[in-house]
Amino acid sequence: MIVEPKVKGFICTTAHPEGCRESVRRQIEYVKSKGSIEGAKNVLVIGASTGYGLASRITMAFGAGAATLGVMFERESNGKKTATPGLYNTRAFEKYAEEEGLYAKTINGDAFSRDIKNQVIETIKADMGKVDLVVYSLAAPRRTMEDGTVYQSVLKTTGEPFTNKNWNLGTNTLCEATIEPATKEETEATVKVMGGEDWMDWIRALKSADAISEGAVTIAYSYIGPVITYPIYYNGTIGMAKKHLLESSKKINEEYKDSGIKAYVSVNKALVTQASSAIPVVPLYFSILYRVMKDMGIHEGCIEQMDRLFKDKLYTDNVELDREGQIRMDDWEMCADVQEKVKEIWDSVNDDTFKNVADIDGYWEDFYHMFGFKYDNVDYTADVDIM
Ligand code: NAI
C-alpha cells in the first residue's frame, strides 16, 4: 500500500511504517553518538511509544545498555487503516534492540488498568527480576477506573476566559482563540487523568509485588512554560494536574524512603508531540521558540532532551533540583535571553510577519516526522506493508 499523510487540524490519521522506523533509527544513532550512560539496567517505561517516553526508552537501551519493558496504548493496523505511529515506532525499536542483544518487550493496553499493571508485574518477575528505573510518561485524554467511571481531561483555564493569539493549524493562519474556564469537575477530572495518582498506584503495585529494586529511581515529566501561556498551561487544568504530579513525587519519596526509592519530576522543554499539538495557543509559542532556539544553536528535540536528562542531570553524583524540588530540562528554553526574544516576537507577530519570525516549517517538519512522513531518505512512492 502507498501511505500518504492525511492531516486533520492537529492530527494525522495515517502513519508510515518505514518513516517511523527511520525516526527511531535516527534517535538511536544520536544516542550512540553521545557515548554511554552509567545508569539503570532494568527499565520500565509507561508511555513508551512516542515523544518523551520513546526517547527515554531509546536513551536507556542504547545509551545505558538497559533491558526495557514498555507500556503503550496504540492501535494495530486492520490491513486497511495504518496502525498508529507508536505501534510502528515500537516494532522498529524492538527490532533494533534485538539486533544488539538488548531485551525489549512491550505491553499494549490501558496503563491505568489493574490488568495491565498485573501483566507488567508478571513480565518483570519472569524476565527481569526487578526494575531499577520507572519512567512515567503518559499523556492520555481519559482514564477509566476499575468501577467503570471515566474521567476526561480538558485543556481549559481555571479562572477567567483567556483570549490570545493563536495559530490555526488547519488554515495555517493567525487568529484569536478564547479558552473557556473549566468547571470544578473538569479540573478534578484532568487531575485524575494527568496528575500523579496513577503514578503512585504503579509504584505501590510494583513495590508490593517486590518488582522494584531498593534504591530504584522513578521519574515523571512536567511542563511550566512562559507567562504568556500560564492561563492555558501552568495555571490551567493541565497545570493543576502537573502540580498534583509534583506532590505525588514527594509522597512517593516519603512513603518509600526506607527502601531508598527516589521519585523525580523533570520539567521538560516544549516540543511538538501528539499530546502538545492539541493544546490551543501553545503551537504559536512553540514555533517562535523553535525559531529563537535554532538561531541561537540550542534547539533540542525529545531525544536530545532525554539523553541530556539521563546523562547530565539524573545519573550524576548530585542531582540538581530547583526550589520546588524539580529537575529543570527546560533550563535553556526558560533562560532570559531566549524568553526576552520570544516575548518580543510574540508581541509583534502578525499575519504579515508570521511566516518569517516563527519556525513554521520546523514545526510542520516535526509534526510530519511524528507520523513517519517527510524523511528525505524514505521512498514514499514505494509499496509498504502496513501490517
Ligand atoms: P505523547 O503523546 O508523545 O506520548 C504519550 C504516550 O502515552 C504514548 O506512548 C501513548 O501510547 C501512551 N499512552 C496514552 N494513553 C495511554 C494509556 N491509557 N495506557 C497506556 N499508554 C498510554 O506525549 P508526550 O508529549 O511525550 O508526553 C509525555 C509526558 O511528557 C506527559 O506527561 C507530558 O505532559 C510531558 N511533557 C510534554 C511536553 C511536550 O511539549 N510535549 C513538555 C513537557 C512535559
Side-chain angles (χ1 to χ4, degrees):
M1 180 172 167
I2 310 282
V3 182
E4 287 178 344
K6 285 200 185 120
V7 177
K8 288 184 189 148
F10 57 80
I11 192 81
C12 177
T13 57
T14 53
H16 200 282
E18 281 304 306
C20 290
R21 192 172 60 79
E22 178 58 14
S23 154
V24 170
R25 193 193 63 77
R26 288 185 187 195
Q27 294 186 62
I28 293 172
E29 214 161 71
Y30 176 80
V31 169
K32 285 183 167 178
S33 76
K34 299 305 272 187
S36 63
I37 297 168
E38 279 306 314
K41 291 292 173 214
N42 289 306
V43 178
L44 169 63
V45 182
I46 303 157
S49 54
T50 53
Y52 277 120
L54 174 66
S56 306
R57 187 177 197 184
I58 293 174
T59 303
M60 290 310 293
F62 291 90
T68 60
L69 176 60
V71 182
M72 63 180 183
F73 208 20
E74 302 291 344
R75 192 192 64 226
E76 303 261 359
S77 165
N78 59 6
K80 290 196 188 102
K81 272 176 112 177
T82 66
T84 46
L87 203 288
Y88 294 136
N89 290 339
T90 302
R91 296 296 168 247
F93 170 84
E94 288 170 344
K95 194 159 174 297
Y96 285 120
E98 190 192 318
E99 281 169 14
E100 303 229 351
L102 293 167
Y103 172 95
K105 258 193 197 168
T106 312
I107 293 173
N108 191 7
D110 186 0
F112 293 114
S113 72
R114 188 69 240 175
D115 177 41
I116 291 297
K117 290 187 175 76
N118 289 341
Q119 281 187 46
V120 165
I121 287 167
E122 272 166 35
T123 310
I124 293 171
K125 302 287 263 183
D127 299 352
M128 299 166 123
K130 294 181 188 190
V131 287
D132 46 4
L133 170 65
V134 180
V135 177
Y136 190 83
S137 187
L138 280 195
R142 72 188 66 80
R143 172 177 175 189
T144 307
M145 308 300 286
E146 290 304 307
D147 67 0
T149 311
V150 178
Y151 292 101
Q152 201 86 35
S153 82
V154 297
L155 294 160
K156 291 189 178 180
T157 72
T158 53
E160 301 295 306
F162 170 64
T163 301
N164 211 321
K165 290 174 186 173
N166 183 43
W167 170 18
N168 182 329
L169 296 173
T171 57
N172 229 352
T173 53
L174 279 191
C175 57
E176 274 206 336
T178 298
I179 297 130
E180 296 299 327
T183 61
K184 190 167 160 279
E185 289 73 26
E186 285 176 319
T187 305
E188 283 168 4
T190 308
V191 172
K192 274 272 179 203
V193 182
M194 289 297 287
E197 189 177 74
D198 181 61
W199 182 24
M200 281 216 72
D201 286 351
W202 269 100
I203 302 304
R204 285 194 183 127
L206 291 164
K207 183 74 184 118
S208 63
D210 197 24
I212 184 165
S213 311
E214 300 261 309
V217 166
T218 181
I219 189 159
Y221 300 138
S222 186
Y223 183 65
I224 294 176
V227 173
I228 321 163
T229 61
Y230 268 17
I232 176 69
Y233 202 100
Y234 186 62
N235 291 330
T237 49
I238 182 74
M240 296 305 126
K242 293 301 184 189
K243 286 176 187 99
H244 188 270
L245 194 74
L246 180 60
E247 288 313 308
S248 305
S249 70
K250 292 176 183 160
K251 277 194 194 151
I252 296 172
N253 284 331
E254 184 53 36
E255 204 166 310
Y256 297 110
K257 61 172 182 283
D258 293 343
S259 338
I261 296 174
K262 273 302 283 157
Y264 294 101
V265 166
S266 169
V267 181
N268 295 346
K269 181 192 177 195
L271 281 174
V272 182
T273 63
Q274 290 184 69
S276 63
S277 7
I279 310 175
V281 179
V282 165
L284 178 60
Y285 166 72
F286 279 23
S287 62
I288 296 172
L289 179 73
Y290 273 34
R291 171 81 295 126
V292 171
M293 291 186 83
K294 282 181 184 175
D295 287 351
M296 290 169 82
I298 53 170
H299 176 73
E300 295 175 296
C302 287
I303 197 67
E304 289 84 358
Q305 277 265 298
M306 294 300 95
D307 188 76
R308 188 159 69 90
L309 167 66
F310 291 111
K311 194 176 279 132
D312 299 348
K313 301 257 186 177
L314 189 65
Y315 289 115
T316 53
D317 293 337
N318 190 13
V319 179
E320 201 182 302
L321 303 174
D322 69 6
R323 256 184 299 161
E324 303 285 330
Q326 307 171 108
I327 297 176
R328 299 302 295 261
M329 286 310 302
D330 63 343
D331 44 359
W332 299 353
E333 170 183 353
M334 295 313 295
C335 76
D337 282 4
V338 170
Q339 285 302 321
E340 276 162 22
K341 193 85 198 116
V342 168
K343 175 85 172 57
E344 195 186 305
I345 297 175
W346 180 278
D347 289 342
S348 62
V349 67
N350 58 41
D351 272 327
D352 298 330
T353 60
F354 175 46
K355 294 195 169 98
N356 297 325
V357 295
D359 186 19
I360 306 299
D361 292 344
Y363 184 96
W364 283 115
E365 181 178 73
D366 275 12
F367 178 88
Y368 280 102
H369 279 178
M370 267 194 309
F371 300 91
F373 295 106
K374 296 199 193 278
Y375 281 107
D376 50 14
N377 56 344
V378 172
D379 179 4
Y380 293 102
T381 61
D383 243 327
V384 24
D385 178 5
I386 60 167
M387 295 298 280

